[in-house]
């Protein structure tokens, strides 16, 4: 754990709270490692029956930290910590609830395709500007987004790079409930605790049947990462990414 990711277990719920408001909850390699370790521990612990991922009031996450993006560009590949985190999420046998208030960018949006229940505030926004940056999508979203939203809406989000507001995300099936901002955490916690209170083996069995074989998602994450790295080596992507980094300073 570090001060930028708060991890706690209560009433069967393993909560991971992203807590870096001074950087709009941007995720660093170290934060990915902390979350991966917390998820791995919770997956193996009989005390944990459900995961809850939250940000801070007003921001879920602005995506990958710009310094990490700079490192990706310099090395021509996406970081191992991010890939490990995404694979860890993909292979969880226990349900994942996400509570989103405010901005959700990049991996903050694509992560939701791997969540099982999503609560969002009425003023939350969702975007996945990978193509705008000359890059490939992540988190298995190139596979999961068309499955969940249909090809046309997935294209709108991932290729056109359109920002979805909470109602658009709800209509597209990315979000289960849209609630007032002050109720996001309360409702997210209540949903996670309701899941945790159910017979755990029955929940796991139902989830496995609904999800099917997750190997295809892991393979897609690997393929996306390979394409991400390949595109990073192109001058166009480097220029677009550098321009984004400069704007983010």
């Amino acid at each position: 754990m570090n001060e930028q990711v708060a991890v706690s277990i209560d009433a069967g719920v393993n909560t991971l709270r992203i807590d870096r408001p001074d950087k709009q909850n941007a995720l660093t390699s170290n934060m990915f490692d902390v979350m991966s370790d917390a998820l791995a521990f919770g997956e193996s612990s009989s005390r944990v029956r459900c995961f809850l991922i939250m940000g801070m009031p007003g921001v879920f996450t602005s995506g990958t930290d710009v310094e990490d993006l700079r490192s990706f560009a310099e090395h021509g590949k996406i970081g191992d910590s991010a890939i490990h985190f995404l694979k860890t999420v993909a292979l969880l046998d226990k349900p994942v609830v996400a509570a989103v208030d405010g901005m959700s960018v990049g991996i903050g949006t694509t992560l939701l395709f791997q969540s099982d229940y999503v609560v969002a505030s009425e003023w939350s926004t969702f975007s996945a500007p990978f193509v705008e940056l000359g890059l490939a999508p992540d988190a298995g979203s190139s596979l999961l987004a068309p499955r969940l939203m249909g090809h046309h809406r997935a294209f709108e989000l991932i290729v056109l790079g359109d920002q979805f507001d909470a109602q658009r995300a709800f209509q597209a099936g990315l979000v289960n409930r849209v609630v007032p901002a002050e109720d996001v955490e309360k409702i997210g916690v209540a949903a996670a605790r309701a899941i945790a209170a159910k017979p755990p083996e029955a929940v796991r069995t139902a989830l496995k049947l609904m999800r099917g074989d997750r190997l295809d998602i892991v393979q897609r994450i690997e393929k996306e990462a390979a394409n991400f790295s390949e595109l990073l080596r192109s001058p166009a992507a480097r220029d677009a990414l550098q321009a984004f980094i400069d704007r983010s300073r």
Side-chain angles (χ1 to χ4, degrees):
M1 185 188 306
N2 68 13
E3 67 277 6
Q4 295 169 343
V5 179
V7 180
S8 61
I9 299 174
D10 184 52
V13 178
N14 190 351
T15 300
L16 286 67
R17 185 192 293 276
I18 306 167
D19 186 4
R20 197 186 179 207
D22 59 313
K23 296 294 186 179
Q24 295 184 311
N25 279 0
L27 298 167
T28 65
S29 294
N30 181 249
M31 292 167 72
F32 282 125
D33 288 338
V34 171
M35 292 191 292
S36 295
D37 290 345
L39 292 173
F41 174 82
E43 182 76 351
S44 66
S45 174
S46 60
R47 294 175 57 204
V48 174
R49 297 185 176 185
C50 183
F51 295 100
L52 173 61
I53 301 177
M54 298 191 294
M56 300 299 293
V59 59
F60 185 58
T61 173
S62 59
T64 303
D65 185 79
V66 292
E67 291 305 318
D68 279 48
L69 289 173
R70 188 192 308 278
S71 177
F72 296 170
E74 289 174 356
H75 294 91
K77 66 185 292 289
I78 193 170
D80 293 337
S81 295
I83 299 302
H84 178 60
F85 169 70
L86 294 172
K87 288 182 178 180
T88 300
V89 176
L91 294 173
L92 292 173
D93 283 337
K94 297 177 182 179
V96 177
V97 174
V100 179
D101 179 28
M103 177 172 54
S104 183
V105 179
I107 196 171
T109 289
T110 55
L111 174 64
L112 302 179
F113 290 111
Q114 293 200 46
S115 301
D116 300 293
Y117 191 87
V118 180
V119 177
S121 70
E122 55 198 356
W123 71 292
S124 292
T125 59
F126 306 85
S127 59
F130 299 102
V131 172
E132 181 182 348
L133 300 178
L135 302 172
D138 65 10
S141 59
S142 61
L143 177 69
L144 296 172
R147 283 183 181 177
L148 181 69
M149 306 166 70
H151 174 83
H152 295 115
R153 283 183 291 198
F155 187 92
E156 183 181 352
L157 179 70
I158 293 175
V159 180
L160 283 177
D162 285 359
Q163 179 175 278
F164 283 24
D165 61 19
Q167 285 300 327
R168 179 67 171 145
F170 174 75
Q171 292 164 1
L174 182 61
V175 168
N176 293 83
R177 290 189 64 182
V178 178
V179 302
E182 61 270 21
D183 293 337
V184 168
E185 181 170 339
K186 176 180 67 177
I187 292 174
V189 169
R193 289 186 174 182
I195 294 167
K198 298 182 184 299
E201 289 306 316
V203 171
R204 282 198 188 194
T205 298
L207 198 56
K208 284 183 178 180
L209 290 169
M210 292 172 65
R211 285 177 172 173
D213 186 0
R214 306 286 279 182
L215 182 60
D216 60 342
I217 299 173
V218 173
Q219 291 174 337
R220 184 57 62 93
I221 290 170
E222 293 173 344
K223 186 173 183 179
E224 289 170 345
N227 281 279
F228 192 106
S229 297
E230 182 180 347
L231 288 168
L232 263 178
R233 300 185 188 104
S234 73
R238 285 174 178 265
D239 290 346
L241 190 56
Q242 186 60 53
F244 173 77
I245 291 169
D246 291 342
R247 291 197 303 270
S248 302
R249 286 175 178 172

